[in-house]
């Protein structure tokens, strides 16, 4: 079945360090891929998305490229800030039904000054 | 637009009590979802609905019930609360038309069953 596998955390980085959070997926066809962010005490918010192979989603300095050949959608940022401290979820929406989303287990990121 | 709203924000229940978690969206989305998030875990789908009058089970439906009498509202009912239902509950909604559309989440309800 469809699923998402996400890099386990927690991840602790110093401010201005580079960030990569790995995400790979299993799905038939051409799913849409998403990264959501959850700040402490809040609900999930969409960070970025990509809907077809080789698409790059970007927002707030974060980027992720939809790689069908490696079934991956890794989240990257060149220079993290303290305000980026949150939990990041990779998610997939299948191409066939669109009724359900599949979420990874989340990766907690803490950025220290 | 208020987006997706959930009430209450927090609740403590005793074992065996019942309660309803409310969810409302004002974006005219057909699709609505209920998830639970356990500490350190991802989201697990409890129930979802593709429109008024239509609901379906997700991954972890046992112990819960839902109804969808209007497009806007999607309440989640716990009939006999158990400690295993201690979790944070999120409601979400999305457009139905294409697979490109993301889900919009409410702020969550933190439920403790003692």
């Amino acid at each position: 079945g469809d699923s998402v596998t996400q890099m386990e955390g927690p991840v602790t980085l110093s401010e201005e360090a580079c960030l990569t959070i790995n995400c790979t997926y299993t799905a038939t066809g051409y799913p849409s891929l998403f990264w959501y962010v959850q700040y402490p005490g809040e609900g999930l918010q969409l960070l970025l998305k990509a809907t077809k192979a080789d698409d790059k989603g970007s927002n707030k300095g974060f980027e992720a490229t939809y790689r069908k050949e490696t079934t991956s959608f890794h989240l990257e940022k060149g220079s993290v800030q303290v305000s980026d401290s949150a939990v990041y979820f990779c998610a997939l929406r299948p191409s066939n039904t669109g009724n359900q989303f599949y979420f990874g287990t989340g990766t907690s990121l803490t950025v220290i000054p | 637009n208020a987006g997706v709203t959930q009430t209450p924000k927090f609740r403590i229940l005793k074992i065996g009590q019942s309660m309803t978690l409310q969810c409302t969206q004002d974006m005219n989305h057909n699709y609505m979802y209920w998830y639970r998030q356990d500490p350190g875990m991802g989201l697990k789908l409890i129930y979802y609905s593709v429109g008024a009058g239509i609901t379906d089970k997700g991954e972890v439906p046992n112990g819960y019930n839902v109804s969808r009498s209007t497009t806007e509202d999607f309440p989640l009912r716990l009939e006999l609360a158990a400690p295993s239902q201690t979790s944070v509950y999120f409601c979400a909604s999305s457009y139905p038309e294409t697979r490109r559309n993301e889900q919009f989440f409410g702020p969550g309800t933190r439920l403790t069953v003692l």
Side-chain angles (χ1 to χ4, degrees), chain B residues 2-4 7 10 19 24 28 40 42 46 59 64 73 75 81 90-91 104:
Chain B
V4 180
T7 57
F10 304 94
M19 77 165 293
T24 300
N28 202 33
I46 304 171
E59 183 183 358
Y64 307 94
D73 300 309
F90 289 102
C91 180
F104 295 81

Side-chain angles (χ1 to χ4, degrees), chain A residues 30-32 34 36 38 41-46 49 51-52 89 93-95 97-101 103-106, chain B residues 31 33 35 37 40-43 45 48 50 57-58 90 94-96 98-108:
Chain A
Y30 295 88
S32 292
F34 305 85
Y36 282 83
Q38 183 181 30
E42 298 183 11
L44 279 70
Q45 305 173 21
L46 179 68
K49 67 180 180 182
T51 59
K52 61 182 188 295
F89 291 91
R93 184 174 187 176
S95 58
T97 65
N99 288 345
Q100 295 193 37
F101 285 66
F103 286 83
T105 53
Chain B
Y31 288 10
Y33 311 80
Y35 294 92
Q37 183 184 32
M41 304 292 286
L43 299 173
L45 183 65
Y48 66 98
V50 301
K57 296 178 181 179
F90 289 102
S94 70
Y95 292 107
T98 76
R99 63 182 176 81
R100 294 174 295 177
N101 292 307
E102 69 271 23
Q103 291 188 335
F104 295 81
F105 283 81

